[in-house]
Each structure stands twice: as C-alpha cells, then as structure tokens.
Amino acid sequence: MQDTKKFFENLSGAGKSIGVLTSGGDAQGMNAAVRAVVRMGIYVGAKVYFIHEGYQGMVDGGDNIKEASWESVSSMLQVGGTVIGSARCKDFRTHEGRLRAALNLVQRGITNLCVIGGDGSLTGANLFREEWSGLLDELVQSGQISEEAAQTHSALHIVGMVGSIDNDFCGTDMTIGTDSALHRIIEVVDAIMTTAQSHQRTFVLEVMGRHCGYLALVSALACGADWVLIPEMPPKDGWEEQMCHKLSENRADKKRLNIIIVAEGAIDQNNKPITTELIKDLVVRCLGFDTRVTILGHVQRGGTPSAFDRILASRMGVEAVLALLEASPGTPACVVSLCGNQAVRLPLMECVQMTQEVQKAMDEKRFEEAVKLRGRSFENNLNTYKLLSHRKIDAELPRSSFNVAVLNVGAPAAGMNAAVRSAVRVGITEGHTLFAVNDGFEGFSKGQIKEIKWGDVGGWTGQGGSLLGTKRTLPAKHIDKIAEQMRIHNINALLVIGGFEVCNVTFTLVDARSRYEEFCVPMCMLPATISNNVSGTDLSIGADTSLNAIVETCDRIKQSASGTKRRVFIIETMGGYCGYLATVGGLAAGADAAYIYEEPFDIRDLQSNVEHLTEKMKTSIQRGLVLRNENCSENYTTDFIYQLYSEEGKGVFDCRKNVLGHMQQGGAPSPFDRNFGTKIAAKAMQWISKKLKEFYRTGKEKLDVVWDCVKSELIFVVMLKKVSCTKSCHRIPKEQWWLRLRPLMKILAKYKTSYDVSDSGQFIHHLNAE
C-alpha cells in the first residue's frame, strides 16, 4: 500500500521562504498556529519569517520581518494573544503601501504567505496576490528590483487560517479562538450563578459578536440561559412580554436566578439595537426583579488557549504549510478550515463572499437565509436552542403515553448531566413521561427509578460527574430483575449514556430479547467517557474536559521549571489502553513524546527519546515533557521511565514525575462537552420519539443504535454492525482517527517521521463542505 499513499516527505520546501503574520483582532490559539507554521516550514527545509505587527510590519519592513528559528517559537503554545503582534493597517489598503510590502518580501525571497486573521485580513491578502505581478513590474520599472528577481518571485501563494473569537467566517465549523472565548464566558457565567443564587438575582450578560451570535448562542446552550438575543434571530414582536413571562415562570418554579445572554450586535425585527441596559430596565419595570448587567468585553479575548484551540491551530498550521508546498502559479488562494473532524482547503474568496452575504441578508431582514449561510454548525446549535428554550404548558404538550428511561453507565464523565437535562426536556416537549434511573443498571435492578420533570434538571449543564449516579455494573447478571422493572414501570424506550460499557450493554439487551419481551423497545446509546474509546465514534462526551485538565496541569508543571532549567517531566494520564488523552494532550501541551499502547515501543525507543532530549537541552529550550498512557506497557511503567530518564540524563537534565489521576475525571464540564452533550441528547430523544411512533403504528422490530460523530457528520449507526470494530479485551476500537495526529506531535517536537497526507486537506468548494 505504500506506493498508493502520498507522503509529505516528497514535498520539499528547500529554496522556499514562507512569511507568517497575524492580522486584525487577536485570538487565543494564534501563537499555536504560528508555532506550527514555523516548525513545519523548517522541518521541510524552507526558511520561515515572522512578519511582526501584521500588514503594518510588512509595509514598514526592516526589523519587522525576521527569520524564525525552531527555538524562537518555544513556550508560545500556551500564550494567549499573538506574540508577533497584530495591527490595523491603513497603509496596506493603499496601492503605495502594497508596493512597499511587495518590495520588502522580494528582498527576502518570500513568495509564500500564511495569513492568520479574519475575513478583512484574508481579503487583503487575496488582493495583494492578484496585484502581485503588476507590483513587481512597477518595482522593475523604478529600478528597485531586477528583471531576474521579478521572474524568480513571479508568483505569490497565499494560505489563510481564520483567527476570530466570533466564529463568524463561513466555510469552517470553528475558527481559532472561539472555543477559548467560550471558556472565558462560561467561567464568568458559572461564577455569576453562585452569587445570583444567593440573592435571587437576574443577570444580563453581554458577550462579543457584533455581527455574529455564535458566542451568545452556544454559551446560552452551555449554561442553560433563560433567554438569548442574537443578530441572526431577532425576537418577534411582543418578545418583551414573552421574556418577562418566562422569567417570572422560572422564578415561580423556585429557580433563584435568571440568566439573559445578549450578543453585542443583537437587534430587533426592525434592525434596532437591543442593549443590556434596555433589557435591565424592562425586567426591573415589568417584574421588579433585582437585576445586574455584566459586560464581558475583552476578557473573552484573553487567557490561555483551550486544548481544542491549540490542536485546531496546530493542525491548521501544518496543513497551511502543506498547501503552500503543493501550490502552483494557478492555484487559487485557499483557507484551511475545519469541517466536522476533517481539515479541508476551501477557496478563500468564495468563503469571504459568503461571509459578506450573511451580513447583507441580515441588513435586508432575510434572517432565515442568514442562519443557513452561517453553516451547518450554527444551524444545529440554533435548532437545539429552540428545542430547549420554551417550556410549553401542559395543555400545549402532545400526549404520547410513552415512558422513556434515562440512565448513566460506566465511569463519570463531564457533560453527562448536560446530556440528561437535554434528553429530559426534549422528551417532555415530545409528550413523553421521563424516568430517571439512579446508579446505572445496578440501580435499575433494585427499582431505583422515579419520574423526572422539567424543573428537576434545572442547573444541570454546568455540573460535573453524574448526578444520576453511575456504576460499571453490566446488566447481564441482573437481567431478569431489570426486565421486571421495565414491566413494572412500563418503560417503552431506553436512553443509556456511558463509556465503552454501552457496547456490551447493547449486545446483552439485544440477546435478551428472545427471552424478555420488555427489551423489544427502541434503545439509544450515547458515548460518554474521558478515554474516548467507544467504537465507531470520533468523539465522546467528557473527553474535551479531561484534555483541558491535562493541558492546564502540564502548563503549570512546565512553568514550575522556568527558574530551574534543564528539567524533564514524566506525566501519566488516564485512558485505560486507549492513548487518546496522552496523544492529543501531548499535541496540545507541546510534549516531546507520548507513550501509548497502540504504538508499541521498546528500550531502543526510550533511549532514542532520551538522546533527543539531551540534544534539546543544549539549545535555549531547556524543558521537556513526556506523557505516558497508564496502560501503555506492562513493564515500562511510569517509575521505570522516570528512573531511566533520570539515570541517562545525569549531568544534563533532571527529572520529575507526576500521576494526574482522577483529577482528569472531575471538574465542571467544558463548553464543548456541555454543548456536545446537549445537542446529541436532543437528537437522540427525537430519534426515540420517531421510532416509538413508527413501532406503535407498525409493530416493526426495534433497532439499537449509538450516536456517532464520524468525520464531518453526526449520524446514527446500528450497533450490531460495530462488533468487528472493537478490541474488547483492551476496550479500544480497531480504528482510531486520532492516531493520524501522532506524526504531527513528533514533527513539532523535531523528530523525523513519516506523515501520510493522502486524505489530508482535500480542496473542496464551500457549498459542498456544508
């Protein structure tokens, strides 16, 4: 198969020069992108230049354009903002300014530009590319460059990466910085909730998003806000009364606080701004509630980048260099984007034009069209919010007469509670009666089942662990008692949220159907485990929260050596036999190595890693980080690796070890896990409703399914087809997408490795991507 694959080793950067700049508003993760571009560029043999202060630095030249070294991007990964600076540049908007910029690039041999910024920055880059040959002709005519130089540098290649906390660029599911901004917002909301509950207050929060309501929408989903106002979905006339009615209804349900989230660009149906002060005055005047306003402002741009943003930016940075290496004079400027879990390359101007179409649609009050233009991710979030936002009074609810039970199995994972809340509320809206099962299947067998209502799950989205209680106990030995409880409570469908156990649960319950008619009901399994080891799914609820805990701890550990120098840290992560946390955590934390079960290693590999770190310590980089998955090897334990590194590194570096343990399983769920759990549970409950109606009418055989996020789509997959995809003895899937990220981690740590780019960064048109 080797000859059918395409490896990046065949794409040499020798003789090429790449300039990297950040422009427009800063966003967390920009530094991770710069680091990836620099290291990947140097790795393939190209020269890479920092262009400080964005386009202004390109126009001014001089010391603003400096060659980067491998060491110069060390310790950048965890830093927010952009260390190479960003500036608004009027000069670059003029022809004279672009002429000076062209001269500065030609003098340094730079004909490849990697631009990290918003749509304005990327539009400017494309205009520069289109004018390039004309600018060179002018420079030749004025005698500033020679004809030979103009021919040598005749084509300018542009690759963009979108850095924007607003997530307002069409063509990518997420822009660099968005996830980190959501972290800042949710940190504030969680803190506000504690003080608001003490005083029975209403809080009105303004978040960024002048033209895009993504931050407001997702943070409202992630914290269970009472009301959200965004520019893409102006409230209908009479919204003031509806909002006040909902706030008073929630307060009457003994909810001690109300949260209203407002995007800074929120408008009404007549395009008039809806401000936080307007909302505060409205609530005080109509309800008399104690109301406070909090405007988050630039705190959303600050802080360290989240694990998601570091990984996204690193993947995009590497992909940008590959795109530049593959570019020919006729290749259009592209932007590296995220579509589902895939890196893709899209025509830059096609995406820019569609982004501008969104604003045009909003200006012309074509709001439904604006939502569709925002893309699949935005539309899914909005649809889920609508499902959960309005509690119908009993008289308005459909009556299904179906009973649905919800339970958790396996180890606790952050985001489980958000999924349960979403399932319960969507199920009630569908007209079903929801039952909560405590302590998994063990509790099921003991009859720990009770009806759960709308108000019972209030405030659950931000709670870590499992409020229902969860155990690893499988149903096999309690099958007769579980069937009895299904019969007693007339359970018509099951929603099971848990880890690798959900696979075994499915097969056990399906097998029991021949003996117990009670199990001939629709069953839906949602993957929730920090290990991310459920077969057939790319992502599991809880894995993102755990990754952030690992990365945050690694940042602190590395910082502790800032005064010591020449120190290597050996960190043990959880995950069972699955190396997801060690690998992806290692990529996000800037690890030098990550030992996992899926990639066998021996003493020679360990020795090679020690020698690599010894060489590293001779440079200005004097800290090392090594991650080890807890079950990567029976004999090469954390203690063994620590002792080996300590002995072999004597006189060069010293070692410390740290076992992270169950802190990876605790804590408040990340915005991603809250949102992910909320969305897939809502979809799962809709699927259950559909199947209940179908079977009620036709009596067809029921299917058991698990919810999957595979590549770029969310789909249902029949679990019975997944038997062959699992190594049951080690609780890991046979195919794991994240293994493709391991070469990236090694490349960015300066190891020579092979990297298959056969399906990497496919160039597709934006409309197909959506």
Side-chain angles (χ1 to χ4, degrees), residues 10-22:
N10 301 323
L11 300 170
S12 172
K16 295 187 178 182
S17 294
I18 300 170
V20 57
L21 65 103
T22 53

Side-chain angles (χ1 to χ4, degrees), residues 429-611:
T429 302
E430 296 275 334
H432 310 317
T433 301
L434 271 291
F435 285 86
V437 181
N438 294 108
D439 297 335
F441 282 102
E442 188 173 315
F444 210 146
S445 68
K446 295 175 181 177
Q448 294 173 210
I449 307 165
K450 63 178 181 179
E451 186 179 351
I452 187 166
K453 300 193 174 183
W454 187 284
D456 296 335
V457 291
W460 279 35
T461 50
Q463 299 290 317
S466 167
L467 292 173
L468 287 184
T470 181
K471 291 194 174 182
R472 293 183 184 274
T473 307
L474 296 176
K477 61 181 179 180
H478 302 297
I479 200 75
D480 54 340
K481 292 181 180 177
I482 294 170
E484 182 184 356
Q485 293 298 329
M486 292 271 289
R487 185 168 56 255
I488 290 170
H489 292 91
N490 190 27
I491 302 300
N492 306 113
L494 277 179
L495 177 62
V496 185
I497 303 165
F500 193 86
E501 288 81 4
V502 298
C503 300
N504 293 325
V505 166
T506 304
F507 305 134
T508 301
L509 297 182
V510 169
D511 186 58
R513 279 181 172 169
S514 59
R515 290 171 288 140
Y516 302 97
E517 189 181 346
E518 289 79 9
F519 296 122
C520 293
V521 297
M523 303 179 196
C524 194
M525 316 294 174
L526 300 186
T529 167
I530 68 167
S531 303
N532 199 27
N533 63 338
V534 179
S535 178
T537 181
D538 282 3
L539 296 169
S540 297
I541 299 167
D544 183 74
T545 304
S546 188
L547 274 179
N548 278 286
I550 292 168
V551 169
E552 185 180 335
T553 306
C554 287
D555 285 351
R556 292 185 181 186
I557 286 170
K558 287 200 298 186
Q559 192 178 49
S560 73
S562 59
T564 312
K565 307 294 185 186
R566 295 191 175 88
R567 179 164 284 175
V568 175
F569 295 93
I570 316 294
I571 312 292
E572 181 182 297
T573 68
M574 293 176 82
Y577 286 94
C578 180
Y580 175 81
L581 291 178
T583 296
V584 183
L587 179 60
D592 295 277
Y595 300 118
I596 63 171
Y597 174 80
E598 293 91 340
E599 193 173 281
F601 60 97
D602 57 26
I603 195 68
R604 289 181 293 275
D605 297 310
L606 291 170
Q607 182 63 36
S608 174
N609 294 152
V610 172
E611 290 170 0

